[in-house]
């Protein structure tokens, strides 16, 4: 089947996207990685398993396309990105089905992801034509300071499975807008979405070699080959903090610029003057978007004593009412976890907390069957030293902790190596802002359960990462400032 003959509905066909590596605008046949439907454990398709030679081939392709792409006028780069946004929007339902099939997330979540993912292309189509420069007078008065921004060069983009479309577009959008060519290595659990996106990119007019996609079972070896190639100047990674640390060390060997979007352990603070219903609505979004498999997912609910019991009761009622099942089925709100290993980890964390004195209000045991299902679960009275209080749960488990004073809540919230997202609920905005400013995190949502927005700088402090994606600064992650000292 050729590009021209692909009908919109074919985008839901997993096998279609398993045609091989996408390098230099060509599909190179291959096999070796089985893509599993987490709702049934059945094989959806098989994709190619890239070798280190394929990785070098991808660097060659990105290098061959680099000069032309860099010289392509920003307006033209913008128009290609804009067409890509348009195509994603037109094929949104089919893409959502595909995401739901390989990742497991419920269709409403998958639809939300496609819309969010496409917006990165629209936003960076708009930013491509607004790349900033700077002009200053040297303080001594003898000359002028002119700062240009140049594309860094070839960028390696490594993405996780939890948002297979959005984590890719959040990198490809700014990289292409900046004038970089890229090699995307998606997670091998969810490669089909990445290949479908590449297909749409080609249809939108992305020239061969500007975007290359490869899947592999040897990410470390492949990344090593690419990062030690002097033509590669950028690594943009989204994934766990553990892998991020390894990649920072790896990139240090060739002093490659790194942007790191790593793990989180978000606190969700409900102060005693909060609107309880609004806090519960926000809690459900912050916890259950993507069934808890989100880096921004609320991991620790700190609720002030006056509202604690009512919050636990309200949250339990809402969590217990959610419909769990295969993500593609109508009415399902919570899909399966990505793998059986994820389910086993969640099961272990919950069992350990309960053993140490946590009270279980709903859920608490994996669901039987072939799929990787874990039910929405609520715990309170969780001991602060329990592992679940310090680990990214990455599943539908809400742990509620009681606190008495604002200072105590801030101290507890900051007791983590992570610093990505935080949530504060209070009807007193000055109080909420005061607390928000004291929280050690890159992003704070005030009276909201969702903060992700292509127009805002997304990223973390502490061990949650380096750099920001999205917003007006996101494009600069792929550009080097170049200073000219000019005298005339
Ligand atoms: P992961 O770190 O296991 O894998 C992420 C990617 O890195 C995958 O493509 C994987 O194949 C690749 N990888 C793994 N080992 C590698 C190595 N040695 N060298 C090169 N590449 C390697 O993470 P995951 O399980 O796919 O995703 C979940 C994690 O991602 C969570 O910790 C979550 O918080 C984080 N995450 C962060 C953000 C953010 O924006 N901060 C967004 C989404 C997910």
């Amino acid at each position: 089947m050729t590009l021209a003959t692909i009908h919109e509905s074919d985008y839901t066909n997993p096998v279609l996207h398993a045609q091989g590596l996408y390098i230099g605008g060509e599909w190179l046949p291959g096999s070796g990685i089985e893509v599993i439907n987490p709702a049934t454990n059945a094989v959806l398709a098989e994709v190619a398993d890239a070798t280190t030679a394929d990785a070098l081939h991808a660097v060659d392709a990105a290098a061959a396309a680099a000069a032309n792409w860099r010289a392509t006028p920003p307006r033209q780069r913008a128009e290609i990105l804009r067409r890509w946004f348009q195509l994603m929007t037109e094929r949104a339902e089919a893409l959502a089905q595909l995401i739901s099939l390989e990742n497991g997330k419920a269709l409403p979540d998958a639809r939300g992801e496609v819309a969010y993912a496409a917006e990165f292309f629209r936003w960076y189509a708009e930013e491509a034509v607004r790349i900033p420069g700077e002009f200053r007078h040297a303080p001594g008065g003898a000359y002028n300071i002119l700062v240009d921004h140049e594309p860094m060069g070839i960028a390696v983009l490594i993405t996780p499975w939890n948002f297979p479309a959005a984590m890719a577009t959040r990198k490809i959008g700014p990289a292409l807008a900046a004038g970089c060519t890229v090699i995307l290595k998606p997670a091998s659990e969810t490669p089909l979405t990445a290949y479908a996106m590449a297909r749409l990119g080609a249809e939108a007019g992305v020239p061969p070699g500007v975007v290359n996609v490869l899947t592999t079972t040897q990410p470390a070896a492949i990344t090593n080959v690419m990062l030690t190639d002097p033509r590669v100047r950028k690594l943009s990674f989204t994934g766990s903090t553990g892998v991020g640390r390894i990649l920072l060390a790896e990139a240090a060997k060739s002093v490659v610029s790194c942007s790191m979007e790593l793990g989180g352990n978000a606190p969700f603070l409900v102060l005693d003057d909060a609107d309880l219903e609004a806090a519960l609505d926000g809690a459900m979004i912050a916890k259950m978007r993507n069934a808890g498999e989100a880096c921004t997912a609320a991991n620790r609910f700190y609720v002030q004593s006056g509202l604690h019991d009512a919050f636990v009761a309200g949250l339990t009622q809402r969590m217990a009412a959610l419909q769990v099942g295969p993500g593609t089925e109508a009415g399902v709100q919570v899909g399966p976890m990505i793998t059986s290993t994820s389910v086993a980890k969640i099961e272990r964390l919950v069992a350990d907390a309960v053993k140490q004195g946590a009270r279980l209000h709903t859920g608490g045991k994996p669901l039987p069957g072939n799929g990787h299902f874990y039910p929405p679960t609520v715990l309170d009275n969780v001991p602060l030293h329990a592992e679940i209080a310090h680990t990214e749960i990455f599943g539908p488990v809400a742990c509620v902790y009681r606190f008495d004073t604002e200072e105590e809540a801030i101290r507890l919230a900051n007791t983590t190596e992570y610093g990505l997202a935080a949530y504060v609920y209070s009807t007193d905005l000055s109080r909420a802002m005061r607390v928000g400013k004291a929280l050690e995190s890159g992003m704070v949502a005030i009276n909201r359960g969702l903060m992700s927005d292509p127009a805002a700088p997304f990223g973390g402090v502490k061990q949650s990462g380096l750099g920001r994606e999205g917003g007006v600064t996101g494009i600069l992650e792929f550009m080097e400032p170049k200073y000219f000292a000019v005298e005339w």
Side-chain angles (χ1 to χ4, degrees):
M1 199 180 292
T2 65
L3 259 184
T5 61
I6 293 172
H7 187 264
E8 185 185 329
S9 60
D10 290 331
Y11 271 83
T12 53
N13 177 359
V15 177
L16 173 72
H17 305 293
Q19 290 186 340
L21 309 172
Y22 183 66
I23 298 179
E26 289 181 7
W27 294 96
L28 309 179
S31 59
I33 302 178
E34 286 186 340
V35 187
I36 306 292
N37 178 345
T40 59
N41 225 4
V43 176
L44 282 170
E46 195 173 340
V47 298
D49 186 1
T51 62
T52 51
D54 294 320
L56 278 179
H57 181 193
V59 176
D60 287 343
N68 270 346
W69 185 246
R70 186 187 174 103
T72 301
R75 175 64 73 205
Q76 220 171 305
R77 299 204 293 260
E79 276 166 6
I80 291 172
L81 284 172
R82 174 73 207 204
R83 273 201 297 278
W84 205 346
F85 157 78
Q86 194 65 40
L87 285 172
M88 280 187 73
T89 307
E90 283 165 18
R91 314 274 164 87
E93 188 55 28
L95 281 172
Q97 295 272 353
L98 187 63
I99 291 174
S100 188
L101 274 177
E102 67 171 350
N103 166 283
K105 69 178 70 178
L107 262 181
D109 279 333
R111 291 185 183 119
E113 180 183 349
V114 176
Y116 172 54
E119 282 300 335
F120 282 101
F121 287 156
R122 175 151 69 172
W123 175 261
Y124 282 107
E126 290 157 351
E127 290 302 296
V129 291
R130 312 205 196 301
I131 294 168
E134 199 181 317
F135 178 85
R136 286 172 191 273
H137 302 289
Y143 62 98
N144 301 293
I145 293 168
L146 198 147
V147 183
D148 186 17
H149 286 107
E150 296 186 341
M152 277 185 178
I154 298 174
V156 170
L157 317 176
I158 303 181
T159 51
W161 48 263
N162 66 336
F163 287 92
M167 296 304 96
T169 60
R170 202 166 76 175
K171 298 184 189 306
I172 296 171
L176 263 55
C180 294
T181 57
V182 307
I183 300 156
L184 170 69
K185 194 217 80 62
S188 30
E189 292 86 350
T190 54
L192 302 174
T193 305
Y195 286 129
M197 302 279 296
R199 200 175 285 285
L200 285 178
E203 210 174 322
V206 175
V210 171
V211 173
N212 305 279
V213 184
L214 48 81
T215 38
T216 182
T217 53
Q218 329 164 47
I222 293 284
T223 311
N224 174 274
V225 160
M226 294 193 283
L227 292 184
T228 49
D229 188 308
R231 294 170 295 177
V232 171
R233 295 315 310 147
K234 178 78 195 180
L235 169 64
S236 178
F237 171 75
T238 298
S240 60
T241 296
V243 172
R245 285 190 199 108
I246 294 171
L247 290 175
L248 280 168
E250 201 56 35
K253 293 177 190 158
S254 310
V255 195
V256 169
S257 164
C258 289
S259 296
M260 294 274 149
E261 296 287 350
L262 308 178
N265 182 2
F268 188 108
L269 276 55
V270 183
L271 306 182
D272 54 8
D273 60 0
D275 174 334
L276 180 64
E277 285 302 305
L280 286 166
D281 287 347
M284 291 302 289
I285 297 168
K287 178 73 252 177
M288 294 306 293
R289 174 167 165 251
N290 249 16
E293 292 179 318
C295 53
T296 50
N299 222 40
R300 301 168 288 149
F301 289 90
Y302 296 111
V303 185
Q304 204 154 7
S305 290
L307 287 183
H308 177 275
D309 294 353
F311 184 87
V312 171
L315 191 64
T316 302
Q317 192 190 24
R318 288 167 195 239
M319 291 283 271
L322 291 174
Q323 194 175 330
V324 183
T328 46
E329 263 180 27
V332 165
Q333 293 160 296
V334 183
M337 302 290 96
I338 189 76
T339 57
S340 55
T341 316
S342 298
V343 174
K345 174 190 156 187
I346 298 165
E347 185 180 13
R348 181 176 58 75
L349 289 174
V350 170
D352 171 68
V354 170
K355 196 168 147 209
Q356 300 202 50
R359 266 191 304 263
L360 177 66
H361 293 270
T362 185
K365 283 243 170 339
L367 302 178
N370 286 339
H372 314 144
F373 292 101
Y374 195 92
T377 296
V378 177
L379 297 172
D380 80 337
N381 201 36
V382 179
L384 292 175
H385 57 266
E387 190 186 348
I388 203 165
H390 305 279
T391 306
E392 197 177 18
I393 303 169
F394 239 57
V397 180
C399 297
V400 186
Y401 307 81
R402 184 191 294 271
F403 71 89
D404 290 314
T405 66
E406 202 176 292
E407 294 67 30
E408 185 190 359
I410 292 166
R411 183 177 50 76
L412 289 170
N414 288 341
T415 321
T416 168
E417 66 186 19
Y418 296 106
L420 187 65
Y423 304 83
V424 181
Y425 270 78
S426 165
T427 48
D428 177 345
L429 186 58
S430 62
R431 187 180 183 205
M433 286 300 293
R434 181 175 68 229
V435 171
K437 282 184 79 70
L439 294 175
E440 295 166 356
S441 67
M443 301 176 286
V444 183
I446 307 263
N447 295 323
R448 276 185 64 75
L450 181 68
M451 77 252 304
S452 302
D453 190 317
F458 188 105
V461 299
K462 293 160 77 176
Q463 298 200 30
S464 284
L466 298 169
R468 295 292 182 271
E469 290 189 323
V472 291
T473 52
I475 195 167
L476 297 178
E477 300 274 326
F478 292 92
M479 307 198 89
E480 288 286 9
K482 186 177 212 165
Y483 155 51
F484 294 85
V486 186
E487 199 169 331
W488 66 72

